[in-house]
Amino acid sequence: MESRFSITRVLRSVCPFAEPIALSRNTNTLRLCVLRHMLLMETLLRPCWLKLLSCLPRTWSQPRRCQSCSVGLESRPDAINFTHRSPLLVSRLFQPSNLREGKDAGLEIRSGEMTCKSQKLMLQGGLIHPSSPGCYYYLPATVRAMEKLVRLIDQEMHAIGGQKLDMPSLCSAELWRRSERWNLMGKELFRLQDRHGAEYCLGPTHEEAVTDLLASQGTLSYKQLPLLLYQVTRKFRDEPKPRFGLLRGREFYMKDMYSFDTSEEAAHRTYQAVCQAYDQLFLRLGLPCVKVQADTGNIGGKLSHEFQLPADIGEDTLMICGNCGFSANTETIEPGRTDCPQCHGGVLTESKGIEVGHTFYLGTKYSSIFNATYYNAQNKPMVAEMGCFGLGVTRILAAAIELLSSEDAIRWPGLLAPYQVCILPPKKGSKVGDLGSLAEDLYYSLVKLLPSLKEEMVLDDRTQLTIGKRLKDASRLGYPYVIVVGQCVMEEPPRFEVHCQKNGETLFLSKEGLLDLLGKVETV
């Protein structure tokens, strides 16, 4: 009786206007009764039916399938809310922004402090937020772009045999004293002590740590070499004057790779392979990177090159020969020299650059200190030849924005844009405001037909703003493709207004044309 009473109460609570239902312990009788009422008032009773089924005893309930027509609920057209994720809405993005207000909130500009285009744009667009001098919060859009860059780096490093690991940021002072860099690095090291008085530093680089790791593996064979180990992690340097946003900070992300080879010749082959991988990476990003001869600095070694992006705000001065392509940091050129040391015929011209990568051939500088050895074909221990190779991950992001953007609008390398597509519905209350649902329909259609863009689209649902204002925001934030669902969709055939940010073109495309355009978008 209790179960009958409970079911009756549920039926009356969800559908008080329905006629009394003759209840029975016969499951089919009950289900047919409810189904008859659903057929009479389907629109009103469908939610009630779902609620009822969740309350019925497990032995009475069946999968949500209409027995009279054998069509499951999940196959109904209106079931899209159950089977597809809702569109990613601009109003829900955590991206504090001062775009339209034109304010410089958070720009941390002090008297005499230098700023640059990328710093202003990233702060203004809500991509980063200052924490302390030289340290920033990386907000979600920036994290997305950085994760894409890391995936690209992983692809290029894996292609040459790189293996990814992760080393501690907290590095023992003992290792740095053994390499004599504890004092050599000076105030650049963030130093600290634990409760027992043991000294550590926050790693700006990991030559000591990785070499000590390899030395602990006493049975390494020559057959296992070359060995290329790399990580992408936070680095720390106590910059005396942090500036230019992510271009020169105290805390940043870097990719650092360390190679171990059997001979100097093999180490040089590895060195060239990594340099070519760097060239390929910047080619894919569409950034005009220049490889220049460089000083080994406090890293040490016998050979070094920097990868520089030409920019007026760059802190490095480069000398480039227009005749043979020779290029070098002025640190490695005799002061006052203007003729090229390589071809002796070209004239060296000066330019500025942002260093985004650095490669070193180290020889046995660290491996001999830490006894990082391998066994050769004669089973004799030999000291490994080393190289190290860095890429400034966050610096590449900022430098790319610096090079590609205008003064008031971010332009990303295509592969790094946080989102590839932004869809703009019409303004609420406008003449075509009732077309708003078409924007969401377009979103779901693109997700279905172009799966690679599933996580790459946002819907600007701020329909209280005009199309013009939202289009301006989208341009400033650098979405590669902005689709306006406006008056053109009422034409025959319907067309979409598409703004291509890279080349500044505005296209009016049918749905087929839009699919053809977006189908060529490369993602990573």
Side-chain angles (χ1 to χ4, degrees):
M1 288 297 294
E2 178 60 28
S3 61
R4 292 189 186 185
F5 172 77
S6 299
I7 295 171
T8 303
R9 184 171 58 184
V10 169
L11 286 171
R12 287 174 178 167
S13 67
V14 299
C15 187
F17 45 81
E19 65 182 23
I21 298 177
L23 293 176
S24 167
R25 287 191 181 275
N26 186 301
T27 304
N28 289 333
T29 302
L30 174 61
R31 189 178 295 107
L32 289 173
C33 289
V34 175
L35 180 60
R36 180 161 58 88
H37 283 272
M38 284 187 66
L39 292 174
L40 290 174
M41 294 180 289
E42 180 181 1
T43 302
L44 293 175
L45 286 181
R46 190 187 311 128
C48 308
W49 171 239
L50 296 178
K51 183 175 179 180
L52 172 63
L53 283 181
S54 67
C55 301
L56 287 174
R58 182 177 298 274
T59 56
W60 286 27
S61 62
Q62 296 292 332
R64 291 183 293 177
R65 184 172 294 274
C66 173
Q67 292 189 343
S68 63
C69 62
S70 299
V71 177
L73 176 65
E74 61 276 1
S75 67
R76 298 177 60 92
D78 60 352
I80 192 167
N81 292 329
F82 297 99
T83 59
H84 292 286
R85 198 179 86 175
S86 298
L88 183 59
L89 305 177
V90 168
S91 65
R92 300 297 303 276
L93 296 179
F94 183 65
Q95 189 171 10
S97 171
N98 298 286
L99 291 173
R100 288 184 307 284
E101 291 83 353
K103 298 178 182 178
D104 285 335
L107 285 185
E108 70 215 38
I109 298 177
R110 304 178 184 90
S111 178
E113 182 178 340
M114 297 178 65
T115 59
C116 63
K117 178 170 56 179
S118 59
Q119 180 183 11
K120 291 179 180 178
L121 289 173
M122 295 186 82
L123 285 165
Q124 197 174 64
L127 299 178
I128 58 175
H129 183 78
S131 170
S132 59
C135 298
Y136 290 87
Y137 296 92
Y138 304 143
L139 299 181
T142 301
V143 172
R144 281 184 61 88
M146 187 165 65
E147 288 173 343
K148 292 181 179 185
L149 176 55
V150 171
R151 286 198 289 271
L152 281 175
I153 292 172
D154 286 340
Q155 290 173 9
E156 297 301 331
M157 295 303 99
H158 293 165
I160 59 173
Q163 300 180 61
K164 197 171 188 178
L165 48 64
D166 195 3
M167 292 179 276
S169 293
L170 200 60
C171 301
S172 169
E174 179 191 350
L175 294 179
W176 284 70
R177 287 196 173 102
R178 286 174 64 184
S179 67
E180 300 182 351
R181 289 207 298 170
W182 183 256
N183 294 324
L184 181 64
M185 295 290 285
K187 294 182 178 180
E188 186 174 313
L189 281 182
F190 277 107
R191 305 164 197 258
L192 63 157
Q193 291 185 349
D194 67 11
R195 66 182 67 193
H196 306 293
E199 292 183 292
Y200 297 87
C201 69
L202 295 176
T205 183
H206 279 71
E207 284 80 11
E208 289 84 358
V210 74
T211 313
D212 185 57
L213 171 66
L214 193 79
S216 69
Q217 312 302 307
T219 58
L220 198 67
S221 166
Y222 74 97
K223 295 179 180 179
Q224 296 172 265
L225 304 184
L227 184 63
L228 288 80
L229 304 175
Y230 80 98
Q231 63 177 350
V232 179
T233 187
R234 286 180 185 264
K235 301 289 189 181
F236 305 87
R237 290 179 186 167
D238 193 358
E239 292 284 352
K241 292 183 179 180
R243 55 193 179 278
F244 298 145
L246 300 189
L247 290 179
R248 183 163 291 281
R250 292 181 170 180
E251 183 179 13
F252 51 92
Y253 279 90
M254 191 170 103
K255 188 283 304 180
D256 47 325
M257 172 181 274
Y258 305 91
S259 65
F260 299 87
D261 277 280
T262 58
S263 66
E264 185 171 342
E265 294 76 17
H268 277 284
R269 288 195 296 270
T270 297
Y271 188 95
Q272 293 303 321
V274 177
C275 287
Q276 290 170 11
Y278 281 15
D279 288 336
Q280 177 65 18
L281 172 68
F282 290 111
L283 180 65
R284 293 179 68 183
L285 292 174
L287 298 175
C289 200
V290 179
K291 176 185 169 187
V292 305
Q293 178 180 294
D295 185 21
T296 57
N298 56 33
I299 299 291
K302 304 177 182 179
L303 178 67
S304 176
H305 288 88
E306 293 169 347
F307 288 76
Q308 297 272 355
L309 293 178
D312 292 338
I313 68 156
E315 298 182 275
D316 291 304
T317 303
L318 316 177
M319 302 298 287
I320 300 175
C321 176
N323 185 43
C324 66
F326 170 84
S327 55
N329 192 306
T330 53
E331 296 173 344
T332 66
I333 297 291
E334 189 179 321
R337 182 167 187 169
T338 58
D339 64 308
C340 179
Q342 181 168 292
C343 66
H344 303 288
V347 177
L348 296 176
T349 57
E350 187 176 295
S351 67
K352 294 289 187 179
I354 301 171
E355 180 192 335
V356 290
H358 208 148
T359 58
F360 301 84
Y361 165 55
L362 301 174
T364 59
K365 172 179 170 63
Y366 295 92
S367 52
S368 59
I369 294 173
F370 292 94
N371 196 31
T373 60
Y374 68 94
Y375 286 90
N376 65 11
Q378 289 74 41
N379 204 32
K380 293 183 179 181
M382 304 289 291
V383 177
E385 295 278 341
M386 287 182 62
C388 70
F389 313 90
L391 281 174
V393 176
T394 43
R395 186 177 286 186
I396 290 174
L397 284 182
I401 291 175
E402 189 72 35
L403 264 66
L404 302 179
S405 303
S406 65
E407 289 296 330
D408 60 357
I410 293 174
R411 292 294 176 266
W412 300 91
L415 289 172
L416 301 189
Y419 299 97
Q420 294 289 338
V421 180
C422 180
I423 301 174
L424 306 185
K427 183 177 189 263
K428 186 176 181 180
S430 66
K431 293 180 180 179
V432 291
D434 57 348
L435 300 177
S437 61
L438 293 181
E440 191 168 336
D441 292 343
L442 176 64
Y443 177 95
Y444 285 122
S445 180
L446 292 177
V447 165
K448 180 179 180 181
L449 298 173
L450 300 173
S452 64
L453 296 182
K454 181 179 179 181
E455 306 294 332
E456 296 290 337
M457 293 188 294
V458 295
L459 184 69
D460 193 341
D461 60 322
R462 301 172 301 160
T463 53
Q464 74 278 10
L465 301 177
T466 65
I467 285 287
K469 289 181 178 179
R470 283 179 286 154
L471 193 57
K472 189 174 183 180
D473 282 2
S475 175
R476 288 182 171 181
L477 292 172
Y479 300 104
Y481 299 93
V482 182
I483 304 171
V484 177
V485 179
Q487 207 158 6
C488 292
V489 298
M490 301 179 69
E491 299 176 359
E492 188 57 44
R495 294 186 301 161
F496 298 93
E497 182 180 333
V498 183
H499 295 258
C500 305
Q501 305 288 21
K502 183 175 181 180
N503 54 23
E505 288 185 349
T506 300
L507 307 173
F508 293 88
L509 302 174
S510 64
K511 185 176 179 180
E512 291 72 22
L514 182 60
L515 289 171
D516 184 59
L517 175 68
L518 297 183
K520 298 174 183 176
V521 174
E522 186 180 359
T523 59
V524 61

